[in-house]
């Protein structure tokens, strides 16, 4: 399950992410790619990591854009799992 972390703790490690505007303790980030194939490859790599760490993002995809929201439902906020997955996502995008 993990422990709930403060927004400040998480933002120190995921500074390029933004707080969602829906009132939840969740972070969101949008990614843009050259085409659908690149976006879907990115999503596939995240899906495999998500299964490995048992933490799944909320996401939305239209053609070459992927919008990802991170939150830990079990703690009703953010946890170390969000940091781990967020850092992995950022690293995959930078490749």
């Amino acid at each position: 399950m993990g422990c709930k972390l403060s927004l400040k703790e998480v933002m120190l490690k995921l500074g390029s992410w933004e707080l969602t505007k829906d009132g939840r303790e969740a972070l969101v980030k949008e990614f843009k790619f050259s085409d659908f194939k690149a976006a879907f490859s990115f999503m596939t790599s995240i899906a495999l990591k998500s299964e490995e760490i048992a933490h799944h993002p909320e996401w939305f995809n239209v053609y070459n854009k992927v919008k990802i929201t991170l939150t830990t439902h079990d703690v009703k906020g953010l946890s170390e799992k969000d940091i781990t997955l967020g850092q992995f996502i950022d690293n995959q995008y930078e490749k």
Side-chain angles (χ1 to χ4, degrees):
M1 177 190 311
C3 299
K4 185 174 179 176
L5 300 176
S6 72
L7 179 61
K8 183 178 179 179
E9 288 175 281
V10 177
M11 291 304 292
L12 285 173
K13 300 201 175 168
L14 297 177
S16 64
W17 291 70
E18 297 178 357
L19 189 61
T20 60
K21 294 179 174 140
D22 59 9
R24 296 184 296 157
E25 287 187 41
L27 299 178
V28 65
K29 188 170 181 179
E30 292 191 34
F31 302 87
K32 189 172 182 179
F33 299 88
S34 58
D35 56 26
F36 177 75
K37 183 178 176 182
F40 197 81
S41 293
F42 174 72
M43 291 175 70
T44 301
S45 68
I46 296 166
L48 294 172
K49 182 66 172 181
S50 295
E51 282 295 301
E52 179 186 312
I53 67 172
H55 189 60
H56 304 89
E58 299 172 16
W59 55 17
F60 180 75
N61 165 244
V62 175
Y63 184 61
N64 67 335
K65 295 180 193 113
V66 179
K67 181 178 179 181
I68 301 176
T69 301
L70 298 176
T71 191
T72 303
H73 299 284
D74 291 343
V75 300
K76 295 182 175 72
L78 298 163
S79 74
E80 190 65 42
K81 287 186 174 191
D82 297 302
I83 293 171
T84 299
L85 189 56
Q87 289 175 332
F88 177 83
I89 291 167
D90 286 341
N91 289 336
Q92 289 299 301
Y93 186 67
E94 292 169 9
K95 283 187 177 181

